[in-house]
Amino acid sequence: MRKKPEPVIEAAFLNVQSAAKYMGISVNTLYVWRHRRQGPPSFRMGPGGRVMYRRDLLDAWLAEQQELDSRSNDALNPLNRAPTQRGPRRRAA
């Protein structure tokens, strides 16, 4: 009799190491982003104050970064804009 495979339970909260692996970046990059308040939202959990990330917020932050990138968002791609005309040049004094 075969055992049924156990369902995989994905954690809702990830520590720094797991979050970095999930995002495909280094732990150091994640620490630098946290220090500069640039990266995904994080918080401290528990009496030890471990830095944690919510998986759903990581996904939302990554999606937001993708939308802000001109290579994946045609509306932001400068090659899709009509060229602008320059004004007349000013003469040097």
Side-chain angles (χ1 to χ4, degrees):
M1 185 170 171
R2 288 186 174 172
K3 285 186 176 180
K4 286 186 178 179
E6 301 219 4
V8 176
I9 299 173
E10 293 186 5
F13 302 101
L14 303 173
N15 62 18
V16 175
Q17 290 76 18
S18 298
K21 185 175 182 180
Y22 181 74
M23 295 173 62
I25 60 174
S26 73
V27 172
N28 187 49
T29 298
L30 204 48
Y31 275 122
V32 169
W33 285 352
R34 178 174 161 76
H35 176 74
R36 294 179 181 171
R37 299 178 188 266
Q38 292 178 323
S42 61
F43 63 98
R44 292 194 175 273
M45 178 187 277
R50 292 180 58 185
V51 175
M52 301 295 285
Y53 293 86
R54 282 182 37 190
R55 183 186 300 268
D56 61 335
L57 293 180
L58 286 177
D59 291 335
W61 186 83
L62 289 169
E64 181 182 330
Q65 298 308 302
Q66 185 176 355
E67 286 297 316
L68 294 174
D69 183 19
S70 64
R71 289 170 287 191
S72 59
N73 186 342
D74 287 337
L76 298 176
N77 190 335
L79 299 177
N80 292 338
R81 292 188 191 134
T84 58
Q85 296 292 327
R86 290 186 178 184
R89 287 189 170 189
R90 295 192 308 183
R91 299 177 100 187

PDB file of all heavy atoms in Angstrom, residues 9 11 13 16 18-19 21-22 27 33 37-38 40 42 60 63 65 80 83 86 91:
ATOM      1  N   ILE A   9       2.558  22.512   2.742  1.00  0.00           N
ATOM      2  CA  ILE A   9       2.016  23.713   3.363  1.00  0.00           C
ATOM      3  C   ILE A   9       3.057  24.811   3.218  1.00  0.00           C
ATOM      4  O   ILE A   9       4.170  24.689   3.716  1.00  0.00           O
ATOM      5  CB  ILE A   9       1.678  23.477   4.849  1.00  0.00           C
ATOM      6  CG1 ILE A   9       0.633  22.379   4.971  1.00  0.00           C
ATOM      7  CG2 ILE A   9       1.204  24.772   5.493  1.00  0.00           C
ATOM      8  CD1 ILE A   9       0.350  21.954   6.372  1.00  0.00           C
ATOM      9  N   ALA A  11       4.533  28.354   4.038  1.00  0.00           N
ATOM     10  CA  ALA A  11       4.496  29.266   5.170  1.00  0.00           C
ATOM     11  C   ALA A  11       3.997  30.634   4.723  1.00  0.00           C
ATOM     12  O   ALA A  11       4.350  31.123   3.651  1.00  0.00           O
ATOM     13  CB  ALA A  11       5.888  29.391   5.774  1.00  0.00           C
ATOM     14  N   PHE A  13       4.641  33.292   6.517  1.00  0.00           N
ATOM     15  CA  PHE A  13       5.692  34.207   6.932  1.00  0.00           C
ATOM     16  C   PHE A  13       7.045  33.580   6.637  1.00  0.00           C
ATOM     17  O   PHE A  13       7.239  32.387   6.854  1.00  0.00           O
ATOM     18  CB  PHE A  13       5.587  34.514   8.430  1.00  0.00           C
ATOM     19  CG  PHE A  13       4.270  35.114   8.818  1.00  0.00           C
ATOM     20  CD1 PHE A  13       3.289  34.344   9.407  1.00  0.00           C
ATOM     21  CD2 PHE A  13       4.013  36.454   8.588  1.00  0.00           C
ATOM     22  CE1 PHE A  13       2.073  34.891   9.762  1.00  0.00           C
ATOM     23  CE2 PHE A  13       2.797  37.021   8.932  1.00  0.00           C
ATOM     24  CZ  PHE A  13       1.820  36.241   9.524  1.00  0.00           C
ATOM     25  N   VAL A  16      14.408  36.024   6.952  1.00  0.00           N
ATOM     26  CA  VAL A  16      15.233  36.719   5.967  1.00  0.00           C
ATOM     27  C   VAL A  16      15.849  35.741   4.964  1.00  0.00           C
ATOM     28  O   VAL A  16      15.830  35.985   3.750  1.00  0.00           O
ATOM     29  CB  VAL A  16      16.337  37.551   6.667  1.00  0.00           C
ATOM     30  CG1 VAL A  16      17.274  38.180   5.658  1.00  0.00           C
ATOM     31  CG2 VAL A  16      15.712  38.626   7.537  1.00  0.00           C
ATOM     32  N   SER A  18      14.836  32.711   4.055  1.00  0.00           N
ATOM     33  CA  SER A  18      13.811  32.125   3.183  1.00  0.00           C
ATOM     34  C   SER A  18      13.266  33.156   2.196  1.00  0.00           C
ATOM     35  O   SER A  18      13.016  32.839   1.031  1.00  0.00           O
ATOM     36  CB  SER A  18      12.670  31.556   4.015  1.00  0.00           C
ATOM     37  OG  SER A  18      13.128  30.519   4.842  1.00  0.00           O
ATOM     38  N   ALA A  19      13.091  34.389   2.657  1.00  0.00           N
ATOM     39  CA  ALA A  19      12.588  35.446   1.776  1.00  0.00           C
ATOM     40  C   ALA A  19      13.594  35.732   0.665  1.00  0.00           C
ATOM     41  O   ALA A  19      13.213  35.900  -0.497  1.00  0.00           O
ATOM     42  CB  ALA A  19      12.291  36.710   2.571  1.00  0.00           C
ATOM     43  N   LYS A  21      15.832  33.678  -0.562  1.00  0.00           N
ATOM     44  CA  LYS A  21      15.814  32.529  -1.476  1.00  0.00           C
ATOM     45  C   LYS A  21      14.563  32.567  -2.352  1.00  0.00           C
ATOM     46  O   LYS A  21      14.625  32.320  -3.554  1.00  0.00           O
ATOM     47  CB  LYS A  21      15.864  31.231  -0.676  1.00  0.00           C
ATOM     48  CG  LYS A  21      15.971  30.005  -1.526  1.00  0.00           C
ATOM     49  CD  LYS A  21      16.129  28.760  -0.684  1.00  0.00           C
ATOM     50  CE  LYS A  21      16.274  27.535  -1.565  1.00  0.00           C
ATOM     51  NZ  LYS A  21      16.426  26.316  -0.788  1.00  0.00           N
ATOM     52  N   TYR A  22      13.426  32.897  -1.769  1.00  0.00           N
ATOM     53  CA  TYR A  22      12.162  32.984  -2.489  1.00  0.00           C
ATOM     54  C   TYR A  22      12.232  34.022  -3.609  1.00  0.00           C
ATOM     55  O   TYR A  22      11.715  33.813  -4.704  1.00  0.00           O
ATOM     56  CB  TYR A  22      11.044  33.342  -1.500  1.00  0.00           C
ATOM     57  CG  TYR A  22       9.668  33.448  -2.082  1.00  0.00           C
ATOM     58  CD1 TYR A  22       8.957  32.315  -2.446  1.00  0.00           C
ATOM     59  CD2 TYR A  22       9.060  34.688  -2.259  1.00  0.00           C
ATOM     60  CE1 TYR A  22       7.675  32.409  -2.973  1.00  0.00           C
ATOM     61  CE2 TYR A  22       7.787  34.794  -2.783  1.00  0.00           C
ATOM     62  CZ  TYR A  22       7.096  33.650  -3.142  1.00  0.00           C
ATOM     63  OH  TYR A  22       5.832  33.747  -3.665  1.00  0.00           O
ATOM     64  N   VAL A  27      20.950  37.353   0.815  1.00  0.00           N
ATOM     65  CA  VAL A  27      20.499  37.801   2.129  1.00  0.00           C
ATOM     66  C   VAL A  27      21.015  39.210   2.385  1.00  0.00           C
ATOM     67  O   VAL A  27      20.303  40.062   2.932  1.00  0.00           O
ATOM     68  CB  VAL A  27      20.983  36.816   3.223  1.00  0.00           C
ATOM     69  CG1 VAL A  27      20.709  37.352   4.614  1.00  0.00           C
ATOM     70  CG2 VAL A  27      20.312  35.459   3.035  1.00  0.00           C
ATOM     71  N   TRP A  33      18.421  46.531   1.673  1.00  0.00           N
ATOM     72  CA  TRP A  33      17.140  47.142   1.340  1.00  0.00           C
ATOM     73  C   TRP A  33      16.354  47.483   2.596  1.00  0.00           C
ATOM     74  O   TRP A  33      15.741  48.542   2.682  1.00  0.00           O
ATOM     75  CB  TRP A  33      16.309  46.206   0.474  1.00  0.00           C
ATOM     76  CG  TRP A  33      16.746  46.102  -0.954  1.00  0.00           C
ATOM     77  CD1 TRP A  33      17.687  46.851  -1.593  1.00  0.00           C
ATOM     78  CD2 TRP A  33      16.244  45.175  -1.915  1.00  0.00           C
ATOM     79  NE1 TRP A  33      17.792  46.453  -2.893  1.00  0.00           N
ATOM     80  CE2 TRP A  33      16.929  45.427  -3.128  1.00  0.00           C
ATOM     81  CE3 TRP A  33      15.307  44.163  -1.873  1.00  0.00           C
ATOM     82  CZ2 TRP A  33      16.675  44.699  -4.284  1.00  0.00           C
ATOM     83  CZ3 TRP A  33      15.059  43.436  -3.022  1.00  0.00           C
ATOM     84  CH2 TRP A  33      15.737  43.713  -4.217  1.00  0.00           C
ATOM     85  N   ARG A  37      15.190  51.100   3.808  1.00  0.00           N
ATOM     86  CA  ARG A  37      13.728  51.172   3.685  1.00  0.00           C
ATOM     87  C   ARG A  37      13.296  51.215   2.215  1.00  0.00           C
ATOM     88  O   ARG A  37      12.417  51.962   1.831  1.00  0.00           O
ATOM     89  CB  ARG A  37      13.160  52.344   4.457  1.00  0.00           C
ATOM     90  CG  ARG A  37      13.453  52.267   5.933  1.00  0.00           C
ATOM     91  CD  ARG A  37      12.924  53.466   6.666  1.00  0.00           C
ATOM     92  NE  ARG A  37      13.373  53.467   8.032  1.00  0.00           N
ATOM     93  CZ  ARG A  37      12.701  52.977   9.056  1.00  0.00           C
ATOM     94  NH1 ARG A  37      11.520  52.434   8.861  1.00  0.00           N
ATOM     95  NH2 ARG A  37      13.186  53.033  10.277  1.00  0.00           N
ATOM     96  N   GLN A  38      13.963  50.397   1.391  1.00  0.00           N
ATOM     97  CA  GLN A  38      13.679  50.363  -0.038  1.00  0.00           C
ATOM     98  C   GLN A  38      12.944  49.094  -0.467  1.00  0.00           C
ATOM     99  O   GLN A  38      12.272  49.103  -1.477  1.00  0.00           O
ATOM    100  CB  GLN A  38      14.986  50.417  -0.832  1.00  0.00           C
ATOM    101  CG  GLN A  38      15.728  51.706  -0.733  1.00  0.00           C
ATOM    102  CD  GLN A  38      17.033  51.657  -1.500  1.00  0.00           C
ATOM    103  OE1 GLN A  38      17.704  50.640  -1.520  1.00  0.00           O
ATOM    104  NE2 GLN A  38      17.390  52.764  -2.111  1.00  0.00           N
ATOM    105  N   PRO A  40      10.868  45.190   0.145  1.00  0.00           N
ATOM    106  CA  PRO A  40       9.517  44.775   0.533  1.00  0.00           C
ATOM    107  C   PRO A  40       9.279  45.018   2.021  1.00  0.00           C
ATOM    108  O   PRO A  40      10.227  45.050   2.808  1.00  0.00           O
ATOM    109  CB  PRO A  40       9.490  43.286   0.198  1.00  0.00           C
ATOM    110  CG  PRO A  40      10.907  42.860   0.176  1.00  0.00           C
ATOM    111  CD  PRO A  40      11.703  44.050  -0.243  1.00  0.00           C
ATOM    112  N   SER A  42       8.654  44.554   5.856  1.00  0.00           N
ATOM    113  CA  SER A  42       9.050  43.525   6.814  1.00  0.00           C
ATOM    114  C   SER A  42       8.648  43.978   8.211  1.00  0.00           C
ATOM    115  O   SER A  42       8.256  45.130   8.409  1.00  0.00           O
ATOM    116  CB  SER A  42      10.563  43.297   6.745  1.00  0.00           C
ATOM    117  OG  SER A  42      11.247  44.485   7.083  1.00  0.00           O
ATOM    118  N   ALA A  60       3.246  40.857  -3.836  1.00  0.00           N
ATOM    119  CA  ALA A  60       2.699  42.153  -4.253  1.00  0.00           C
ATOM    120  C   ALA A  60       3.830  43.134  -4.562  1.00  0.00           C
ATOM    121  O   ALA A  60       3.762  43.878  -5.553  1.00  0.00           O
ATOM    122  CB  ALA A  60       1.791  42.717  -3.160  1.00  0.00           C
ATOM    123  N   ALA A  63       5.432  42.221  -7.892  1.00  0.00           N
ATOM    124  CA  ALA A  63       4.549  42.607  -8.996  1.00  0.00           C
ATOM    125  C   ALA A  63       4.618  44.116  -9.232  1.00  0.00           C
ATOM    126  O   ALA A  63       4.648  44.579 -10.378  1.00  0.00           O
ATOM    127  CB  ALA A  63       3.115  42.175  -8.708  1.00  0.00           C
ATOM    128  N   GLN A  65       7.182  46.059  -8.570  1.00  0.00           N
ATOM    129  CA  GLN A  65       8.475  46.347  -9.187  1.00  0.00           C
ATOM    130  C   GLN A  65       8.445  46.045 -10.677  1.00  0.00           C
ATOM    131  O   GLN A  65       9.009  46.778 -11.484  1.00  0.00           O
ATOM    132  CB  GLN A  65       9.595  45.534  -8.511  1.00  0.00           C
ATOM    133  CG  GLN A  65       9.781  45.847  -7.044  1.00  0.00           C
ATOM    134  CD  GLN A  65       9.934  47.325  -6.781  1.00  0.00           C
ATOM    135  OE1 GLN A  65      10.823  47.969  -7.309  1.00  0.00           O
ATOM    136  NE2 GLN A  65       9.056  47.869  -5.959  1.00  0.00           N
ATOM    137  N   ASN A  80       8.163  53.814 -26.955  1.00  0.00           N
ATOM    138  CA  ASN A  80       6.766  53.824 -27.397  1.00  0.00           C
ATOM    139  C   ASN A  80       6.166  55.232 -27.384  1.00  0.00           C
ATOM    140  O   ASN A  80       5.011  55.404 -27.729  1.00  0.00           O
ATOM    141  CB  ASN A  80       5.923  52.909 -26.514  1.00  0.00           C
ATOM    142  CG  ASN A  80       6.281  51.460 -26.720  1.00  0.00           C
ATOM    143  OD1 ASN A  80       6.828  51.093 -27.747  1.00  0.00           O
ATOM    144  ND2 ASN A  80       5.999  50.638 -25.740  1.00  0.00           N
ATOM    145  N   PRO A  83       8.254  61.240 -30.400  1.00  0.00           N
ATOM    146  CA  PRO A  83       9.388  62.128 -30.132  1.00  0.00           C
ATOM    147  C   PRO A  83       8.904  63.542 -29.829  1.00  0.00           C
ATOM    148  O   PRO A  83       7.891  63.996 -30.369  1.00  0.00           O
ATOM    149  CB  PRO A  83      10.212  62.081 -31.415  1.00  0.00           C
ATOM    150  CG  PRO A  83       9.348  61.481 -32.449  1.00  0.00           C
ATOM    151  CD  PRO A  83       8.262  60.729 -31.754  1.00  0.00           C
ATOM    152  N   ARG A  86      12.457  69.835 -29.600  1.00  0.00           N
ATOM    153  CA  ARG A  86      13.216  70.719 -28.716  1.00  0.00           C
ATOM    154  C   ARG A  86      12.851  72.160 -29.028  1.00  0.00           C
ATOM    155  O   ARG A  86      12.522  72.507 -30.165  1.00  0.00           O
ATOM    156  CB  ARG A  86      14.718  70.551 -28.940  1.00  0.00           C
ATOM    157  CG  ARG A  86      15.239  69.246 -28.451  1.00  0.00           C
ATOM    158  CD  ARG A  86      16.739  69.259 -28.595  1.00  0.00           C
ATOM    159  NE  ARG A  86      17.297  68.019 -28.095  1.00  0.00           N
ATOM    160  CZ  ARG A  86      18.588  67.795 -28.024  1.00  0.00           C
ATOM    161  NH1 ARG A  86      19.443  68.714 -28.420  1.00  0.00           N
ATOM    162  NH2 ARG A  86      19.027  66.669 -27.557  1.00  0.00           N
ATOM    163  N   ARG A  91      21.471  81.319 -27.276  1.00  0.00           N
ATOM    164  CA  ARG A  91      22.836  81.687 -27.623  1.00  0.00           C
ATOM    165  C   ARG A  91      23.656  81.878 -26.361  1.00  0.00           C
ATOM    166  O   ARG A  91      23.155  82.363 -25.345  1.00  0.00           O
ATOM    167  CB  ARG A  91      22.845  82.984 -28.421  1.00  0.00           C
ATOM    168  CG  ARG A  91      22.072  82.850 -29.722  1.00  0.00           C
ATOM    169  CD  ARG A  91      22.040  84.136 -30.428  1.00  0.00           C
ATOM    170  NE  ARG A  91      23.057  84.098 -31.481  1.00  0.00           N
ATOM    171  CZ  ARG A  91      23.391  85.112 -32.226  1.00  0.00           C
ATOM    172  NH1 ARG A  91      22.809  86.263 -32.039  1.00  0.00           N
ATOM    173  NH2 ARG A  91      24.293  84.976 -33.172  1.00  0.00           N
TER     174      ARG A  91
END
